[in-house]
Amino acid sequence: MSEFAAYDLYINDKKPAIGLYVRKGAGLPDLEDKEDWVFDGTCAQDLLPSSVVEAVKANGHAFRDMD
């Protein structure tokens, strides 16, 4: 993964304490409640915990407690 990798953040409108990260431009994964997720911006890899980066690498997405 490039040192300039970036990730898009989506926040759950009904549960704002939950964030969902995907690779920049990947869009949302197949979720039943896709309409509940709102794009909240793009973040550089070096600003994220390594656990989030590794989960996106392994699963294509990562959930994060935003509290």
Side-chain angles (χ1 to χ4, degrees):
M1 197 170 278
S2 165
E3 65 181 282
F4 299 108
Y7 298 86
D8 289 338
L9 170 62
Y10 293 85
I11 299 292
N12 189 304
D13 201 31
K14 293 181 179 176
K15 301 173 192 166
I18 300 174
L20 172 65
Y21 287 92
V22 295
R23 286 187 181 96
K24 182 178 178 183
L28 289 173
D30 293 333
L31 300 171
E32 288 183 25
D33 61 348
K34 192 177 261 191
E35 67 278 351
D36 293 343
W37 295 92
V38 179
F39 178 73
D40 193 58
T42 301
C43 187
Q45 175 178 323
D46 61 349
L47 298 176
L48 295 174
S50 60
S51 60
V52 169
V53 174
E54 289 302 315
V56 172
K57 186 177 179 182
N59 305 315
H61 67 278
F63 292 100
R64 181 177 179 195
D65 182 353
M66 303 307 285
D67 282 340

